[in-house]
Amino acid sequence: MKNNYFKLILFFALSSFVFSCSNEDEQQAQKPTIDKVELGLGNNEIGVIGQDFHFNAEITAGDKIKNVEIKIDQISTETYSKVWSHQIIWEQYAGAKNTVVHKHFDIPADAAEGKYSFLIVVTDQNGTKLEERRTLTIYAPENLPLDLKFDFGIDAVDSDFAPIKVIYAQRSIYDSESYKSDEPINEDEFLAPVVNIAAIKGDGKMYCLIINKKHNHRPETITAIDFSKAVVVDVWEHKNIQQSQLGSNMFDFSTNPLTILYPAIKIGATSDKNLPSPNAVSNLKKWESGQYYVGFIYHNTTYNMTLFHYGEIKVQMK
């Protein structure tokens, strides 16, 4: 009888313990999650001292986000010219359940070259924390495999490529200069985007795009282009260039001597200049009066490096 009594007590005690543990597991705070992390332009995990750096991450909170932090720290097994680290905390995402952290910031001028630990920390308001670690390589500009700079101009031209007016210009190869006209480019005029890139090598491809600003679509990589919203003005590529040189969508490098190209699209055209098959300029892409983004995306596949830039212009339809 006593044995049965003690067995019953033990049964209830164990049941209570299992039930308590189960409750604790159910009540344990859920951690945030992170997806689609991108480091560097084109997600190449490269940073350049004194130049723009791209960071992207999609975050879902367990409860609500408290803050998002990144830490760039030196690795104990690596050698550096000096001690250096960098930290940024973003508080503006506090209270959000889901968010896309898309940031551009300059790698500080006092950074030391080398391979770094790139730590992403998401702190949740429920007290949990998520840490994800990646690797980042920081270069001085002069030591990059390619130090990409550009000159970009948007002109209104006639059907013979004769200039009508300059709409936009941004230069950075030899000096820094910016220009933007308030004049619109009109229906039946031709929009000519001229891109010079220094210095190119190996294989690369570039798209020039015009996108209605209302779509809020400014892709930073070729793979991110939404062709249902973007009108392709020009596609240009180069292959197997052995030594670094100036590249331009005004020239075809596959011919000898170089063939002069005339990149342009008529405002009001029914199809764009996509290759190998043009796309219809219709539906979301139909021409309208208003503000447009015009820009280019260049990706060097040999060195996995990306360059992009956008200007804004006004289109006036009849």
Side-chain angles (χ1 to χ4, degrees), residues 165-168 179-186 290-291 312-316:
K165 56 195 169 189
V166 177
I167 304 295
Y168 179 90
Y179 172 79
K180 184 180 183 301
S181 172
D182 293 328
E183 286 190 79
I185 184 167
N186 300 305
Q291 295 294 125
E312 289 188 27
I313 68 166
K314 184 178 180 180
V315 169
Q316 183 63 53

PDB file of all heavy atoms in Angstrom, residues 165-168 179-186 290-291 312-316:
ATOM      1  N   LYS A 165      20.182  69.604 -76.063  1.00  0.00           N
ATOM      2  CA  LYS A 165      20.455  70.239 -74.773  1.00  0.00           C
ATOM      3  C   LYS A 165      21.015  69.195 -73.808  1.00  0.00           C
ATOM      4  O   LYS A 165      20.760  67.986 -73.950  1.00  0.00           O
ATOM      5  CB  LYS A 165      19.192  70.876 -74.188  1.00  0.00           C
ATOM      6  CG  LYS A 165      18.018  69.900 -74.039  1.00  0.00           C
ATOM      7  CD  LYS A 165      16.707  70.618 -73.816  1.00  0.00           C
ATOM      8  CE  LYS A 165      15.532  69.648 -73.932  1.00  0.00           C
ATOM      9  NZ  LYS A 165      14.240  70.332 -73.940  1.00  0.00           N
ATOM     10  N   VAL A 166      21.764  69.661 -72.850  1.00  0.00           N
ATOM     11  CA  VAL A 166      22.275  68.805 -71.782  1.00  0.00           C
ATOM     12  C   VAL A 166      21.250  68.796 -70.650  1.00  0.00           C
ATOM     13  O   VAL A 166      20.820  69.848 -70.180  1.00  0.00           O
ATOM     14  CB  VAL A 166      23.634  69.305 -71.265  1.00  0.00           C
ATOM     15  CG1 VAL A 166      24.121  68.441 -70.106  1.00  0.00           C
ATOM     16  CG2 VAL A 166      24.655  69.318 -72.396  1.00  0.00           C
ATOM     17  N   ILE A 167      20.858  67.608 -70.222  1.00  0.00           N
ATOM     18  CA  ILE A 167      19.851  67.465 -69.165  1.00  0.00           C
ATOM     19  C   ILE A 167      20.505  67.227 -67.803  1.00  0.00           C
ATOM     20  O   ILE A 167      20.086  67.769 -66.781  1.00  0.00           O
ATOM     21  CB  ILE A 167      18.897  66.296 -69.485  1.00  0.00           C
ATOM     22  CG1 ILE A 167      18.234  66.484 -70.855  1.00  0.00           C
ATOM     23  CG2 ILE A 167      17.840  66.149 -68.393  1.00  0.00           C
ATOM     24  CD1 ILE A 167      17.318  67.670 -70.938  1.00  0.00           C
ATOM     25  N   TYR A 168      21.563  66.409 -67.782  1.00  0.00           N
ATOM     26  CA  TYR A 168      22.157  66.001 -66.506  1.00  0.00           C
ATOM     27  C   TYR A 168      23.602  65.583 -66.756  1.00  0.00           C
ATOM     28  O   TYR A 168      23.931  65.015 -67.810  1.00  0.00           O
ATOM     29  CB  TYR A 168      21.368  64.823 -65.914  1.00  0.00           C
ATOM     30  CG  TYR A 168      21.889  64.290 -64.602  1.00  0.00           C
ATOM     31  CD1 TYR A 168      21.444  64.806 -63.395  1.00  0.00           C
ATOM     32  CD2 TYR A 168      22.827  63.260 -64.572  1.00  0.00           C
ATOM     33  CE1 TYR A 168      21.918  64.320 -62.184  1.00  0.00           C
ATOM     34  CE2 TYR A 168      23.305  62.761 -63.375  1.00  0.00           C
ATOM     35  CZ  TYR A 168      22.850  63.296 -62.186  1.00  0.00           C
ATOM     36  OH  TYR A 168      23.325  62.810 -60.988  1.00  0.00           O
ATOM     37  N   TYR A 179      25.802  68.664 -62.751  1.00  0.00           N
ATOM     38  CA  TYR A 179      24.935  69.616 -63.453  1.00  0.00           C
ATOM     39  C   TYR A 179      23.570  68.987 -63.627  1.00  0.00           C
ATOM     40  O   TYR A 179      23.449  67.806 -63.951  1.00  0.00           O
ATOM     41  CB  TYR A 179      25.509  69.990 -64.821  1.00  0.00           C
ATOM     42  CG  TYR A 179      24.550  70.821 -65.651  1.00  0.00           C
ATOM     43  CD1 TYR A 179      24.398  72.180 -65.409  1.00  0.00           C
ATOM     44  CD2 TYR A 179      23.776  70.234 -66.652  1.00  0.00           C
ATOM     45  CE1 TYR A 179      23.507  72.947 -66.163  1.00  0.00           C
ATOM     46  CE2 TYR A 179      22.891  70.989 -67.410  1.00  0.00           C
ATOM     47  CZ  TYR A 179      22.749  72.339 -67.160  1.00  0.00           C
ATOM     48  OH  TYR A 179      21.862  73.083 -67.886  1.00  0.00           O
ATOM     49  N   LYS A 180      22.527  69.776 -63.421  1.00  0.00           N
ATOM     50  CA  LYS A 180      21.155  69.315 -63.644  1.00  0.00           C
ATOM     51  C   LYS A 180      20.324  70.467 -64.190  1.00  0.00           C
ATOM     52  O   LYS A 180      20.286  71.541 -63.595  1.00  0.00           O
ATOM     53  CB  LYS A 180      20.521  68.786 -62.355  1.00  0.00           C
ATOM     54  CG  LYS A 180      19.128  68.206 -62.549  1.00  0.00           C
ATOM     55  CD  LYS A 180      18.551  67.698 -61.243  1.00  0.00           C
ATOM     56  CE  LYS A 180      17.195  67.047 -61.453  1.00  0.00           C
ATOM     57  NZ  LYS A 180      16.206  67.944 -62.050  1.00  0.00           N
ATOM     58  N   SER A 181      19.679  70.224 -65.335  1.00  0.00           N
ATOM     59  CA  SER A 181      18.824  71.230 -65.947  1.00  0.00           C
ATOM     60  C   SER A 181      17.390  71.054 -65.470  1.00  0.00           C
ATOM     61  O   SER A 181      16.934  69.932 -65.209  1.00  0.00           O
ATOM     62  CB  SER A 181      18.875  71.099 -67.470  1.00  0.00           C
ATOM     63  OG  SER A 181      17.911  71.947 -68.075  1.00  0.00           O
ATOM     64  N   ASP A 182      16.673  72.159 -65.354  1.00  0.00           N
ATOM     65  CA  ASP A 182      15.249  72.099 -65.023  1.00  0.00           C
ATOM     66  C   ASP A 182      14.383  71.908 -66.266  1.00  0.00           C
ATOM     67  O   ASP A 182      13.174  71.714 -66.157  1.00  0.00           O
ATOM     68  CB  ASP A 182      14.818  73.377 -64.293  1.00  0.00           C
ATOM     69  CG  ASP A 182      15.453  73.484 -62.914  1.00  0.00           C
ATOM     70  OD1 ASP A 182      15.690  72.423 -62.300  1.00  0.00           O
ATOM     71  OD2 ASP A 182      15.724  74.614 -62.465  1.00  0.00           O
ATOM     72  N   GLU A 183      15.006  71.969 -67.427  1.00  0.00           N
ATOM     73  CA  GLU A 183      14.256  71.786 -68.671  1.00  0.00           C
ATOM     74  C   GLU A 183      13.851  70.320 -68.835  1.00  0.00           C
ATOM     75  O   GLU A 183      14.646  69.412 -68.541  1.00  0.00           O
ATOM     76  CB  GLU A 183      15.094  72.198 -69.876  1.00  0.00           C
ATOM     77  CG  GLU A 183      15.271  73.677 -70.060  1.00  0.00           C
ATOM     78  CD  GLU A 183      15.903  73.975 -71.414  1.00  0.00           C
ATOM     79  OE1 GLU A 183      15.175  73.952 -72.425  1.00  0.00           O
ATOM     80  OE2 GLU A 183      17.123  74.208 -71.446  1.00  0.00           O
ATOM     81  N   PRO A 184      12.673  70.054 -69.345  1.00  0.00           N
ATOM     82  CA  PRO A 184      12.280  68.665 -69.578  1.00  0.00           C
ATOM     83  C   PRO A 184      12.850  68.150 -70.896  1.00  0.00           C
ATOM     84  O   PRO A 184      13.268  68.927 -71.764  1.00  0.00           O
ATOM     85  CB  PRO A 184      10.759  68.746 -69.653  1.00  0.00           C
ATOM     86  CG  PRO A 184      10.495  70.113 -70.216  1.00  0.00           C
ATOM     87  CD  PRO A 184      11.578  70.999 -69.632  1.00  0.00           C
ATOM     88  N   ILE A 185      12.876  66.842 -71.039  1.00  0.00           N
ATOM     89  CA  ILE A 185      13.106  66.245 -72.343  1.00  0.00           C
ATOM     90  C   ILE A 185      11.729  65.919 -72.905  1.00  0.00           C
ATOM     91  O   ILE A 185      10.867  65.367 -72.204  1.00  0.00           O
ATOM     92  CB  ILE A 185      14.005  65.004 -72.267  1.00  0.00           C
ATOM     93  CG1 ILE A 185      14.291  64.472 -73.672  1.00  0.00           C
ATOM     94  CG2 ILE A 185      13.425  63.920 -71.368  1.00  0.00           C
ATOM     95  CD1 ILE A 185      15.410  63.448 -73.717  1.00  0.00           C
ATOM     96  N   ASN A 186      11.493  66.293 -74.137  1.00  0.00           N
ATOM     97  CA  ASN A 186      10.145  66.272 -74.702  1.00  0.00           C
ATOM     98  C   ASN A 186       9.895  65.030 -75.548  1.00  0.00           C
ATOM     99  O   ASN A 186      10.828  64.406 -76.076  1.00  0.00           O
ATOM    100  CB  ASN A 186       9.932  67.518 -75.563  1.00  0.00           C
ATOM    101  CG  ASN A 186      10.082  68.793 -74.760  1.00  0.00           C
ATOM    102  OD1 ASN A 186       9.424  68.988 -73.737  1.00  0.00           O
ATOM    103  ND2 ASN A 186      10.973  69.679 -75.207  1.00  0.00           N
ATOM    104  N   GLY A 290       6.192  63.648 -66.296  1.00  0.00           N
ATOM    105  CA  GLY A 290       6.541  63.577 -64.875  1.00  0.00           C
ATOM    106  C   GLY A 290       8.020  63.331 -64.667  1.00  0.00           C
ATOM    107  O   GLY A 290       8.835  63.419 -65.587  1.00  0.00           O
ATOM    108  N   GLN A 291       8.369  63.026 -63.428  1.00  0.00           N
ATOM    109  CA  GLN A 291       9.762  62.835 -63.042  1.00  0.00           C
ATOM    110  C   GLN A 291      10.179  61.380 -63.271  1.00  0.00           C
ATOM    111  O   GLN A 291       9.429  60.446 -62.963  1.00  0.00           O
ATOM    112  CB  GLN A 291       9.970  63.188 -61.576  1.00  0.00           C
ATOM    113  CG  GLN A 291       9.735  64.660 -61.254  1.00  0.00           C
ATOM    114  CD  GLN A 291      10.758  65.560 -61.929  1.00  0.00           C
ATOM    115  OE1 GLN A 291      10.400  66.494 -62.650  1.00  0.00           O
ATOM    116  NE2 GLN A 291      12.037  65.298 -61.681  1.00  0.00           N
ATOM    117  N   GLU A 312      17.948  62.390 -61.961  1.00  0.00           N
ATOM    118  CA  GLU A 312      16.512  62.609 -62.145  1.00  0.00           C
ATOM    119  C   GLU A 312      16.290  63.621 -63.253  1.00  0.00           C
ATOM    120  O   GLU A 312      16.992  64.634 -63.330  1.00  0.00           O
ATOM    121  CB  GLU A 312      15.870  63.103 -60.842  1.00  0.00           C
ATOM    122  CG  GLU A 312      15.778  62.061 -59.764  1.00  0.00           C
ATOM    123  CD  GLU A 312      14.968  62.539 -58.565  1.00  0.00           C
ATOM    124  OE1 GLU A 312      14.086  63.398 -58.750  1.00  0.00           O
ATOM    125  OE2 GLU A 312      15.242  62.061 -57.455  1.00  0.00           O
ATOM    126  N   ILE A 313      15.320  63.337 -64.118  1.00  0.00           N
ATOM    127  CA  ILE A 313      14.978  64.243 -65.203  1.00  0.00           C
ATOM    128  C   ILE A 313      13.466  64.367 -65.284  1.00  0.00           C
ATOM    129  O   ILE A 313      12.717  63.593 -64.681  1.00  0.00           O
ATOM    130  CB  ILE A 313      15.525  63.761 -66.560  1.00  0.00           C
ATOM    131  CG1 ILE A 313      14.784  62.482 -66.992  1.00  0.00           C
ATOM    132  CG2 ILE A 313      17.032  63.520 -66.500  1.00  0.00           C
ATOM    133  CD1 ILE A 313      15.008  62.135 -68.455  1.00  0.00           C
ATOM    134  N   LYS A 314      13.018  65.356 -66.051  1.00  0.00           N
ATOM    135  CA  LYS A 314      11.590  65.541 -66.277  1.00  0.00           C
ATOM    136  C   LYS A 314      11.261  65.191 -67.706  1.00  0.00           C
ATOM    137  O   LYS A 314      11.956  65.618 -68.645  1.00  0.00           O
ATOM    138  CB  LYS A 314      11.184  67.015 -65.989  1.00  0.00           C
ATOM    139  CG  LYS A 314       9.692  67.258 -66.105  1.00  0.00           C
ATOM    140  CD  LYS A 314       9.367  68.710 -65.753  1.00  0.00           C
ATOM    141  CE  LYS A 314       7.866  68.985 -65.861  1.00  0.00           C
ATOM    142  NZ  LYS A 314       7.553  70.398 -65.525  1.00  0.00           N
ATOM    143  N   VAL A 315      10.204  64.419 -67.909  1.00  0.00           N
ATOM    144  CA  VAL A 315       9.718  64.052 -69.238  1.00  0.00           C
ATOM    145  C   VAL A 315       8.421  64.811 -69.499  1.00  0.00           C
ATOM    146  O   VAL A 315       7.542  64.855 -68.621  1.00  0.00           O
ATOM    147  CB  VAL A 315       9.489  62.530 -69.356  1.00  0.00           C
ATOM    148  CG1 VAL A 315       8.736  62.185 -70.647  1.00  0.00           C
ATOM    149  CG2 VAL A 315      10.819  61.789 -69.292  1.00  0.00           C
ATOM    150  N   GLN A 316       8.323  65.383 -70.674  1.00  0.00           N
ATOM    151  CA  GLN A 316       7.105  66.127 -71.055  1.00  0.00           C
ATOM    152  C   GLN A 316       6.502  65.494 -72.299  1.00  0.00           C
ATOM    153  O   GLN A 316       7.078  65.543 -73.380  1.00  0.00           O
ATOM    154  CB  GLN A 316       7.433  67.598 -71.318  1.00  0.00           C
ATOM    155  CG  GLN A 316       6.226  68.452 -71.644  1.00  0.00           C
ATOM    156  CD  GLN A 316       5.243  68.521 -70.492  1.00  0.00           C
ATOM    157  OE1 GLN A 316       5.618  68.856 -69.369  1.00  0.00           O
ATOM    158  NE2 GLN A 316       3.982  68.169 -70.747  1.00  0.00           N
TER     159      GLN A 316
END
